[in-house]
Amino acid sequence: MAWKTLDDIDLKGKVVLTRVDINVPVEDGRVTDATRIEKIVPTVKDILARGGKPVLLAHFGRPKGKVVPEMSLKITLPALEAALGRTVRFAEDCIGAPAKKAVAALGEGEVLLLENTRFQPGEEKNDPGMAAALAALGDVYVNDAFSAAHRAHASTEAIAHLLPAAAGRLMEAELKALERALSKPERPVVAVVGGAKVSTKLDLLTNLVEKVDYLVIGGGMANTFLLSKGIEVGKSLAERDMAGTAGEIFRKSLDVGCEIVLPDDAVVAREFKAGAESQVVRADACPDDAMILDAGPEAVKRIVGVFEVCKTLIWNGPLGAFEIEPFDTATNAAAAKAAELTRAGKLVSVAGGGDTVAALNKAGVANDFSYISTAGGAFLEWMEGKELPGVAALDQGA
Ligand code: 3PG
Ligand code: MG
């Protein structure tokens, strides 16, 4: 890790261009989940404490280079002010005269938020001109947006080459947690990968098989793996055309000594709805007219047993159709065990990805995990072993 942190650069009296990810869910003009906003507070407060003037750069939604009023970052101001406990000033554009004027007027102890960087066509093109216009506003660049680091955009990538650059506290925490979970983990390591499709997580599975000792496969993608072993799965969600690929991943796991853990039994139902009548069957005995909606009790026992012998757990994706009861049972039970082992200091547990965080919140254990990433796509790409442009740019610096 070559990147600098806030401890490594002088911020006194400096305008600190701080890239944050406050791309939060909004309904009826109000922020419905302020987690991402709360997570940037330590960075902003630290910059203020060091005498810097934080100027926040952020995107919101996907306006595609045009001004879309409903995607104005103004919507986040009340939540931002509540989280920071102070007034936040706002500029109507992220570059040019409005931004320059607002930065010049910024007093000590004040925070400024610039309008949606994606209103500018240069942002998503990683345009050097746009990056230069942003860089001209400040003295130092801090990137605290791990969850947007998989995008090579002007405010996440190009700008980092133009100013002294450092990681913010959230970026630093994310990178350290991820390093501890996968780059330099304490072994044995178990990865839980769930979700609907093998096809969307192919790169992920291929990378993990080489890196972890146990790979627990859950959700719809487990059905595709069962198919690859010639096991019929009735009406279950599965990708028949991916069965060959799943088989290849299986063979590779044998070569590299990774144990793939598939469910031994399953909860099946004939309808996908809350409280649907369900039964537990052996994984190779799914009735033709039924579908697998969760891992069964034997499968959970085995998964929990794997957790017990491991020192590190990395989790992406639920084990079953967790949105609907009772098909959240396996996910909840496995999550509870991971939380218990983590609390006892026996396991380092890291989780990320939209559905995963929702599932762990639902299980009521998110606070007990060692680290929960705020990132969706960036967490996945990182788990796939890909270089994240926003992080790589911090490494190279200016
Ligand atoms: C996210 O919400 O995943 C990040 O803010 C990135 O947004 P994007 O997927 O629109 O690039
Ligand atoms: Mg996304």
Side-chain angles (χ1 to χ4, degrees):
M1 296 190 284
W3 39 271
K4 295 188 172 78
T5 72
L6 295 182
D7 300 318
D8 303 315
I9 42 175
D10 181 22
L11 300 180
K12 183 116 193 78
K14 304 267 168 72
V15 173
V16 185
L17 297 170
T18 310
R19 179 54 158 100
V20 292
D21 186 353
I22 50 173
N23 194 24
V24 288
V26 164
E27 253 169 62
D28 302 326
R30 293 182 58 153
V31 173
T32 53
D33 177 357
T35 307
R36 280 181 168 173
I37 290 176
E38 284 149 15
K39 294 270 184 186
I40 65 161
V41 170
T43 299
V44 176
K45 290 204 165 158
D46 205 345
I47 293 169
L48 288 166
R50 286 156 196 267
K53 294 180 182 173
V55 174
L56 308 182
L57 307 174
H59 74 279
F60 187 61
R62 292 177 176 168
K64 302 214 159 26
K66 290 196 194 75
V67 176
V68 178
E70 308 82 76
M71 294 184 197
S72 169
L73 273 170
K74 250 186 227 157
I75 237 170
T76 65
L77 275 176
L80 201 52
E81 293 189 328
L84 287 167
R86 67 182 69 218
T87 310
V88 176
R89 294 178 180 273
F90 186 76
E92 305 284 338
D93 199 350
C94 64
I95 52 175
K100 279 187 198 151
K101 220 173 121 196
V103 171
L106 194 63
E108 208 170 302
E110 291 183 336
V111 179
L112 170 65
L113 172 66
L114 302 180
E115 183 58 287
N116 196 341
T117 51
R118 289 189 186 171
F119 282 179
Q120 288 292 337
E123 167 70 335
E124 294 193 52
K125 295 189 184 119
N126 202 16
D127 174 53
M130 161 99 180
L134 287 171
L137 298 170
D139 308 303
V140 174
Y141 173 71
V142 167
N143 190 345
D144 211 27
F146 174 80
S147 47
H150 57 318
R151 310 290 182 212
H153 293 172
S155 70
T156 61
E157 206 281 334
I159 187 176
H161 301 284
L162 304 177
L163 292 173
R169 296 302 183 202
L170 176 59
M171 173 74 91
E172 189 184 340
E174 294 263 5
L175 292 175
K176 283 185 178 156
L178 298 185
E179 164 135 316
R180 205 169 155 214
L182 203 56
S183 316
K184 292 178 194 153
E186 257 199 86
R187 291 193 175 274
V189 184
V190 51
V192 173
V193 179
K197 293 177 173 175
V198 171
S199 52
T200 56
K201 293 197 178 167
L202 194 54
D203 290 346
L204 180 71
L205 294 168
T206 310
N207 184 44
L208 286 178
V209 143
E210 287 188 7
K211 299 222 165 113
V212 304
D213 305 291
Y214 298 90
L215 181 54
V216 173
I217 299 187
M221 71 170 71
N223 304 332
T224 303
F225 274 83
L226 291 173
L227 280 177
S228 80
K229 302 182 135 217
I231 295 170
E232 273 309 321
V233 293
K235 291 199 165 147
S236 307
L237 178 71
E239 294 167 286
R240 289 189 179 269
D241 56 337
M242 291 301 287
T245 308
E248 275 163 38
I249 294 171
F250 225 101
R251 277 187 293 282
K252 188 167 174 202
S253 75
L254 298 176
D255 285 347
V256 298
C258 165
E259 187 177 332
I260 290 188
V261 178
L262 287 179
D264 301 313
D265 60 350
V267 179
V268 301
R270 276 151 184 99
E271 286 173 296
F272 181 43
K273 65 169 200 206
E277 196 182 310
S278 63
Q279 70 191 105
V280 175
V281 297
R282 275 180 34 179
D284 61 0
C286 178
D288 290 344
D289 62 344
M291 56 195 145
I292 298 174
L293 290 174
D294 199 10
E298 285 304 316
V300 170
K301 233 189 251 172
R302 177 134 171 256
I303 292 166
V304 158
V306 170
F307 288 2
E308 273 170 342
V309 300
C310 284
K311 295 223 162 67
T312 304
L313 161 69
I314 178 154
W315 190 324
N316 177 265
L319 294 174
F322 81 98
E323 320 87 302
I324 291 188
E325 279 169 36
F327 309 112
D328 56 349
T329 307
T331 302
N332 289 345
K337 186 66 182 184
E340 179 197 319
L341 291 168
T342 306
R343 280 195 305 268
K346 294 180 181 157
L347 188 71
V348 170
S349 51
V350 174
D355 259 10
T356 315
V357 178
L360 297 180
N361 279 330
K362 193 159 175 276
V365 299
N367 290 336
D368 291 323
F369 270 56
S370 310
Y371 196 80
I372 303 265
S373 176
T374 53
F379 186 84
L380 270 186
E381 288 198 23
W382 174 84
M383 268 181 99
E384 287 166 358
K386 291 187 181 140
E387 183 180 76
L388 306 182
V391 178
L394 281 185
D395 275 338
Q396 288 138 25

